[in-house]
Amino acid sequence: MSKLPIDVPKEKLQQVRMDMFRKVQREKRTKKRIVSGAIAFLFCLSFLFSIRVSPTIASHVAKIPGFQAIVSAVVSDKGIKDIVDNDYYEEINATQSKKGLSLTLQGVIADNSGLVLYYDAEASFDMSELHLEGVQLFQGDEKIKDGSSFTSHQSNQTRISSSVNFSFREPFAYDSKDFKVVFQFYDKDKGNIEISVPFSLQNEIAKEKTITVNRNVNVDGQKFTITKIRHSPLRMAIDIELDEANTMQILALDNIAVETENGERREEVVKNGLSLGQKSRDSKFTLNLQSNYFHDSDSLKLLIGAVQAVPKGEDFIEVDFGKKEVLTKPEYLDWDISVTEQGVSVAAKKWDNRRAHSFLNFAVKADGTTLEYKGSSFSDDDQFLYETENFENYDGKAKLYMSYYFNPIGKDIELNIPLK
């Protein structure tokens, strides 16, 4: 089907944003004007985010400073679109600068399950060697210990428009709505650049909706139970418990999605095996999908593309970081594995057209304590997927548990789940 030519008013859209920004800045003298300015700006955002129906327009608007990250999120995540449509996205628009680097915290989405920060950064110097090394979040004076995920560096970057995602292990208490985020950059010429941006939340925090399901599933004799579905604006969390009597270790549920009564799909928050899943050897884990918090449904259809499992007790490799060698691995494991003083690299043969995948879960030292994780990197070529897991300096033995191995024991599973 041919598409009608669309005249995108890029200059006007840019001018609208700048005019609104100046207006809000002028009107910050009274609380009433701040509120009305924010509402006007959100109205402008709502109009722009209706562009999700037109990827052509979205691709142009996303190039306008201040819109790129949130527009990209709206296009890729239906839950984020719902958040914007229901005015739950909160504009911050606070700027701090240091050593020629200017960072603007554009906005935030916060709920009990997580907090997402959208920001822009520009510099008076060449940004091609600028890397984001870390992000710390404080509530008042207390540092939030839950880890963050972000993009460290973008190739050929001349400016940055991106986001930082904090996922909370337990429902977060917003006893105080005053926060501070600290961005830690490094540039080969400028050295370390630390920019701190204080901000306060104004919105009421949406309450999580919890539905008890307790749906038992049997896949080729391996059992698990969908215990609860928890809805928040940022994600739909599906809690799963594995049967202790299973003879195989279920590593992953591939291509998870839910389908609503009107046929709309909500998929994994992050695809290609990089989403947060089972991070311990206990029998419980959570899958995070795009949220449908702002919609009511009597039922959902849960779709599972495949269940990946390996023999129980054969889901780890043992390495010696001091000797830089693999000590043991399962007989079935066909990965190429190499060891350094700080990391383990895996090369796994491709089974589809994906570009990245996480294969290793976490590491345990010989004394039973956890080996501190430092980060991951991913790449691919025509035949293989590559992953490197980096850890703290350690010269002893450790077990690294697997988070994925392509060995499907069940495919194309559909489960109807009543919600009322």
Side-chain angles (χ1 to χ4, degrees), residues 250-279:
I250 295 177
L251 298 180
L253 305 182
D254 278 353
N255 300 320
I256 296 291
V258 296
E259 190 175 283
T260 62
E261 293 163 313
N262 62 6
E264 186 180 42
R265 287 172 61 94
R266 300 283 163 133
E267 299 176 338
E268 290 178 274
V269 174
V270 182
K271 298 180 181 179
N272 293 328
L274 302 182
S275 57
L276 293 178
Q278 190 174 354
K279 292 297 178 186

Side-chain angles (χ1 to χ4, degrees), residues 32-301:
K32 181 177 179 181
R33 287 178 180 176
I34 290 174
V35 173
S36 62
I39 291 173
F41 189 82
L42 286 174
F43 177 80
C44 180
L45 282 178
S46 297
F47 167 74
L48 289 177
F49 294 148
S50 66
I51 60 174
R52 190 179 187 280
V53 299
S54 173
T56 303
I57 297 180
S59 66
H60 287 282
V61 176
K63 297 176 183 177
I64 299 175
F67 284 110
Q68 182 176 340
I70 184 65
V71 168
S72 297
V74 167
V75 171
S76 62
D77 190 326
K78 295 175 182 177
I80 302 298
K81 179 183 182 297
D82 287 345
I83 284 172
V84 172
D85 288 344
N86 288 273
D87 294 335
Y88 196 72
Y89 171 84
E90 190 163 344
E91 184 214 359
I92 302 298
N93 206 11
T95 301
Q96 297 289 336
S97 301
K98 186 177 286 188
K99 293 185 178 182
L101 179 64
S102 177
L103 185 143
T104 300
L105 181 59
Q106 297 289 356
V108 61
I109 302 171
D111 66 20
N112 294 118
S113 71
L115 189 147
V116 184
L117 302 170
Y118 296 91
Y119 72 96
D120 289 345
E122 297 179 297
S124 59
F125 55 87
D126 180 7
M127 299 177 69
S128 60
E129 297 298 327
L130 182 71
H131 293 261
L132 180 58
E133 300 288 300
V135 183
Q136 296 178 331
L137 183 64
F138 295 81
Q139 185 183 39
D141 295 327
E142 184 176 351
K143 181 181 176 181
I144 296 175
K145 296 180 180 179
D146 293 275
S148 60
S149 59
F150 53 86
T151 299
S152 173
H153 180 77
Q154 302 173 18
S155 59
N156 302 318
Q157 66 183 16
T158 55
R159 61 181 304 277
I160 301 172
S161 185
S162 191
S163 62
V164 182
N165 191 326
F166 289 86
S167 294
F168 304 139
R169 295 182 181 90
E170 300 293 337
F172 188 77
Y174 287 87
D175 299 326
S176 169
K177 291 189 176 181
D178 295 326
F179 291 83
K180 177 180 69 175
V181 59
V182 180
F183 292 83
Q184 298 165 326
F185 292 93
Y186 177 79
D187 180 81
K188 67 175 184 178
D189 294 324
K190 298 289 184 177
N192 295 317
I193 306 175
E194 184 172 287
I195 296 181
S196 176
V197 184
F199 66 97
S200 296
L201 301 177
Q202 304 299 323
N203 289 349
E204 287 297 319
I205 303 301
K207 295 182 179 180
E208 184 180 75
K209 304 174 184 177
T210 300
I211 300 166
T212 300
V213 178
N214 289 331
R215 174 68 182 274
N216 297 318
V217 184
N218 188 326
V219 180
D220 197 23
Q222 308 306 307
K223 301 175 182 179
F224 60 90
T225 302
I226 301 167
T227 58
K228 293 179 181 179
I229 297 179
R230 294 177 287 115
H231 297 275
S232 66
L234 279 171
R235 62 182 58 91
M236 180 193 309
I238 300 178
D239 294 331
I240 294 175
E241 186 170 344
L242 304 178
D243 193 319
E244 293 183 0
N246 286 346
T247 58
M248 302 193 77
Q249 179 69 48
I250 295 177
L251 298 180
L253 305 182
D254 278 353
N255 300 320
I256 296 291
V258 296
E259 190 175 283
T260 62
E261 293 163 313
N262 62 6
E264 186 180 42
R265 287 172 61 94
R266 300 283 163 133
E267 299 176 338
E268 290 178 274
V269 174
V270 182
K271 298 180 181 179
N272 293 328
L274 302 182
S275 57
L276 293 178
Q278 190 174 354
K279 292 297 178 186
S280 64
R281 304 322 294 167
D282 60 22
S283 61
K284 299 178 181 179
F285 62 99
T286 298
L287 299 173
N288 293 317
L289 278 66
Q290 296 172 0
S291 174
N292 69 337
Y293 182 86
F294 296 99
H295 302 275
D296 290 325
S297 299
D298 292 331
S299 65
L300 292 174
K301 182 186 293 184

Side-chain angles (χ1 to χ4, degrees), residues 272-338:
N272 293 328
L274 302 182
S275 57
L276 293 178
Q278 190 174 354
K279 292 297 178 186
S280 64
R281 304 322 294 167
D282 60 22
S283 61
K284 299 178 181 179
F285 62 99
T286 298
L287 299 173
N288 293 317
L289 278 66
Q290 296 172 0
S291 174
N292 69 337
Y293 182 86
F294 296 99
H295 302 275
D296 290 325
S297 299
D298 292 331
S299 65
L300 292 174
K301 182 186 293 184
L302 178 62
L303 308 175
I304 303 174
V307 178
Q308 308 290 349
V310 297
K312 216 166 193 179
E314 300 181 37
D315 59 336
F316 65 89
I317 61 176
E318 188 172 10
V319 303
D320 189 321
F321 285 98
K323 295 181 179 179
K324 303 177 185 178
E325 65 181 20
V326 177
L327 300 178
T328 62
K329 67 176 184 178
E331 290 185 6
Y332 64 80
L333 196 63
D334 55 0
W335 298 342
D336 290 330
I337 305 170
S338 59

Side-chain angles (χ1 to χ4, degrees), residues 337-357:
I337 305 170
S338 59
V339 184
T340 66
E341 292 179 354
Q342 284 185 275
V344 176
S345 297
V346 168
K349 193 169 183 179
K350 282 186 173 180
W351 59 92
D352 59 19
N353 61 355
R354 72 186 61 224
R355 301 297 303 276
H357 208 292

